[in-house]
Amino acid sequence: MAKAPKKDNSKEVLRSFINFRKSDQPIQSSELQPGDVMLDSRYIKQSSALISDALQKGFDVLQMSNGDIVTTGTKTVVYKYTWDDEGGKLKRSSVTSKRANKDELEPEEEIVLEALEDVE
């Protein structure tokens, strides 16, 4: 019995692949389109400043494709408690907000420095 020559399937596979690629639907691109907020120079300027400021403060920043920006972070809050002998309980000292003069320490920072001096 004579063996039939092997059929070369590589041409068939290539032809099948080419037909598959022709019928393949184009993938929706996320590229910028005219009128997109990402192309607006005012948006670029403001978002760059906002993102830079947030990153300098240690925040995580997420910029969405629609232009929304989400920042997440934590703020350390320090409270100072003092013992009231007469009342027999701890009372929280008042901690005020940031001062207008940036050169001065914030009250929270002053409290931490005072506590560190007591430890030394």
Side-chain angles (χ1 to χ4, degrees), residues 78 80 105 107-120:
V78 178
K80 181 179 179 181
L105 292 175
E108 296 89 353
E109 293 172 322
E110 290 175 1
I111 293 169
V112 170
L113 289 176
E114 287 174 16
L116 291 174
E117 288 173 359
D118 291 343
V119 172
E120 293 174 2

Side-chain angles (χ1 to χ4, degrees), residues 60-77:
D60 294 323
V61 178
L62 175 64
Q63 185 174 24
M64 309 295 278
S65 61
N66 67 354
D68 290 352
I69 298 173
V70 179
T71 62
T72 59
T74 57
K75 180 179 179 180
T76 303
V77 179

Side-chain angles (χ1 to χ4, degrees), residues 74-114:
T74 57
K75 180 179 179 180
T76 303
V77 179
V78 178
Y79 295 107
K80 181 179 179 181
Y81 293 89
T82 55
W83 181 252
D84 179 15
D85 280 331
E86 293 176 13
K89 60 183 177 178
L90 286 170
K91 287 189 176 180
R92 186 169 76 184
S93 302
S94 63
V95 179
T96 58
S97 62
K98 277 189 172 182
R99 295 182 183 175
N101 185 351
K102 300 257 183 196
D103 294 334
E104 295 180 28
L105 292 175
E106 292 183 32
E108 296 89 353
E109 293 172 322
E110 290 175 1
I111 293 169
V112 170
L113 289 176
E114 287 174 16

